């Protein structure tokens, strides 16, 4: 079984505010090979880390929080508690989603684990239940208060499409993204970041502070998704500047995602690219989750022929940037980044042009 990573084209830090996002899966994934055993023990091996762990099913082991085994054993424990997983198994896992790059390697690992263990459950686990379970694992076992976007995209993203998702209702629409006309280019800045860092969770706390403030003026409001531009303008002055900026990013980004989804559906790629660039400015200036290296990548890209727009992607504080380019000129961006970025930051980037994007599920026969 496999589950892909994802890149978010628009909508970062809106998902945990019940907002709108526009991710797509990538052509890198996590793969599991699993077989049941007869001794009710769990035996796991990670090829990437060359690490193994073994323990009795039902005796959740002490593992490093945020390490690969915390995500896997968390999924195993929640499947046991909620969905009748009562058989031991042996499993081997491998992935080529870049770690710490903002491409949801952890969500791909969680989703792939639920898929691989489906045959050992009492009853089939529907996709949305599996997605919510994986999100809970991220919260409880890794200490990251993530929204639902990463797991949803990994599990239900479709080949050849971006995914417009309402993170409150979970209504979603597949939007064709013709990679024969334009290219999606991902650049790993080489700057690692930890989602479990205090900075990420502090942003969530600041959003909660803004919600509590605006609820004084609209008691029906339950998330920043409900804050209108008018409410923000009328009553935002009562917030600290930092918190008001966080709220403004979420309010404006939600509007940007909805408008840009229509642009993408209409194949208005130049306008869509401008929306990506506007999003980066908001993440940099209002939400303050970019960094010098990510800003530098965007500057280099926007000065390159054929680039329609781009932004940092993921939680920020390092990781990856994503760009939309004209198909015939994607190689020019790769060349410019490989020449200019190391000279400027003394870091070697990793550049890959999406050849397509994968779907979760059984691996097709070769």
């Amino acid at each position: 079984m496999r589950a892909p990573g994802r890149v978010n084209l628009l909508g970062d830090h809106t998902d945990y505010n019940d907002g709108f996002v526009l991710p797509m899966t990538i052509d890198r994934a996590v793969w599991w090979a699993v077989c049941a055993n007869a001794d009710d023990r769990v035996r796991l091996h990670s090829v990437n880390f060359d690490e193994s762990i073994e323990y009795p099913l039902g005796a959740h082991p002490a593992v490093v929080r945020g390490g690969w085994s915390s995500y896997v054993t968390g999924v195993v424990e929640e499947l046991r508690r909620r969905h009748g997983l009562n058989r031991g198994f042996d499993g081997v896992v491998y992935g080529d989603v870049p770690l710490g790059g903002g491409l949801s390697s952890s969500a791909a690992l969680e989703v792939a684990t639920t898929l691989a263990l489906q045959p050992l459950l009492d009853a089939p686990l529907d996709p949305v239940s599996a997605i919510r379970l994986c999100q809970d694992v991220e919260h409880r076992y890794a200490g990251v208060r993530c929204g639902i976007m990463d797991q949803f995209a990994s599990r239900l993203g479709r080949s050849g499409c971006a995914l417009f998702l309402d993170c409150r209702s979970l209504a979603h629409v597949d939007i064709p993204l013709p990679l024969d006309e334009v290219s999606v280019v991902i650049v790993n800045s080489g700057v690692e970041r930890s989602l479990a860092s205090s900075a990420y969770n502090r942003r969530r706390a600041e959003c909660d502070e803004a919600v509590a403030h605006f609820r004084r003026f609209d008691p029906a409001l339950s998330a920043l998704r409900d804050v209108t531009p008018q409410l923000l303008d009328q009553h935002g002055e009562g917030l600290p500047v930092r918190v008001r900026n966080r709220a403004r990013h979420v309010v404006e980004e939600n509007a940007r995602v909805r408008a840009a989804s229509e642009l993408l559906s209409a194949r208005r790629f130049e306008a869509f690219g401008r929306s990506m660039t506007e999003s980066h400015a908001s993440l940099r200036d209002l939400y303050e989750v970019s960094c010098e290296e990510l800003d530098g990548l965007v500057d280099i890209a926007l000065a390159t022929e054929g680039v329609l727009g781009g932004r940092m992607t993921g939680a920020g504080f390092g990781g990856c940037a994503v760009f939309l380019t004209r198909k015939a000129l994607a190689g020019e961006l790769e060349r410019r980044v490989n020449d200019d970025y190391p000279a400027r930051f003394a870091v070697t980037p990793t550049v890959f042009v999406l050849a397509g994007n994968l779907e979760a599920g059984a691996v097709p026969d070769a």
Side-chain angles (χ1 to χ4, degrees), residues 161-240:
C161 295
L163 178 73
F164 174 75
L165 172 65
D166 179 334
C167 293
R168 172 174 286 169
S169 70
L170 300 188
H172 56 285
V173 178
D174 295 325
I175 302 177
L177 180 53
L179 295 180
D180 58 339
E181 296 184 33
V182 291
S183 290
V184 174
V185 181
I186 299 171
V187 183
N188 192 329
S189 68
V191 180
E192 292 191 6
R193 87 287 178 274
S194 171
L195 274 179
S197 67
S198 60
Y200 177 87
N201 288 331
R202 187 163 62 246
R203 295 304 186 282
R204 290 210 59 164
E206 289 165 345
C207 291
D208 292 342
E209 181 181 348
V211 169
H213 170 79
F214 288 116
R215 193 177 287 134
R216 294 162 48 200
F217 308 100
D218 181 359
L221 185 148
S222 63
L224 281 180
R225 178 242 181 82
D226 301 315
V227 175
T228 64
Q230 294 76 21
L231 186 63
L232 179 64
D233 290 340
Q234 290 171 1
H235 300 292
E237 293 298 323
L239 286 167

Side-chain angles (χ1 to χ4, degrees), residues 1-2 32 34-36 75-76 79 83-87 89 110-131 133-134 155-156 360-362:
M1 288 291 182
R2 75 174 179 209
W32 267 110
V34 167
C35 66
V75 170
V76 171
L79 288 176
H83 299 286
L85 177 63
N86 58 14
R87 301 174 64 187
F89 65 92
E110 295 154 0
V111 171
T113 305
T114 64
L115 288 168
L117 296 179
Q118 287 268 7
L120 306 185
L121 304 181
D122 289 341
L125 183 59
D126 69 90
V128 172
S129 295
I131 288 165
L133 182 147
C134 291
R155 180 64 181 85
L156 289 176

Side-chain angles (χ1 to χ4, degrees), residues 8-23 148-149 163-173 223-227 249-261 279 311:
N8 195 23
L9 301 175
L10 278 174
D12 283 314
H13 295 280
T14 52
D15 61 339
Y16 55 77
N17 287 293
D18 281 0
F20 304 96
V21 293
L22 189 66
I148 203 165
M149 171 182 64
L163 178 73
F164 174 75
L165 172 65
D166 179 334
C167 293
R168 172 174 286 169
S169 70
L170 300 188
H172 56 285
V173 178
L224 281 180
R225 178 242 181 82
D226 301 315
V227 175
H249 164 74
V250 173
V251 171
E252 294 178 352
E253 186 81 346
N254 276 326
R256 190 160 30 241
V257 173
R258 297 180 78 173
S261 297
S279 175
R311 61 194 286 276

Side-chain angles (χ1 to χ4, degrees), residues 329-350:
L329 294 171
E332 178 64 13
L333 174 60
E334 185 172 6
R335 184 190 67 78
R336 282 288 300 274
V337 167
N338 283 326
D339 286 347
D340 295 357
Y341 185 76
R344 184 168 171 181
F345 295 104
V347 178
T348 300
T350 303

Side-chain angles (χ1 to χ4, degrees), residues 16-54:
Y16 55 77
N17 287 293
D18 281 0
F20 304 96
V21 293
L22 189 66
M24 66 181 294
T25 61
I26 61 175
D27 52 4
R28 302 191 180 197
V30 171
W31 290 266
W32 267 110
V34 167
C35 66
N37 61 40
D39 57 10
D40 294 329
R41 295 185 70 80
V42 176
R43 298 183 183 89
L44 307 168
H45 179 73
S46 166
V47 174
N48 297 83
F49 294 97
D50 192 23
E51 293 177 359
S52 297
I53 184 170
E54 179 177 347

Side-chain angles (χ1 to χ4, degrees), residues 272-293:
F272 182 84
R274 289 194 293 271
S275 295
M276 295 175 70
T277 304
E278 291 167 1
S279 175
H280 180 79
S282 182
L283 289 162
R284 180 192 64 211
D285 299 335
L286 297 179
Y287 222 73
E288 296 182 281
V289 290
S290 189
C291 63
E292 184 180 2
E293 292 84 356

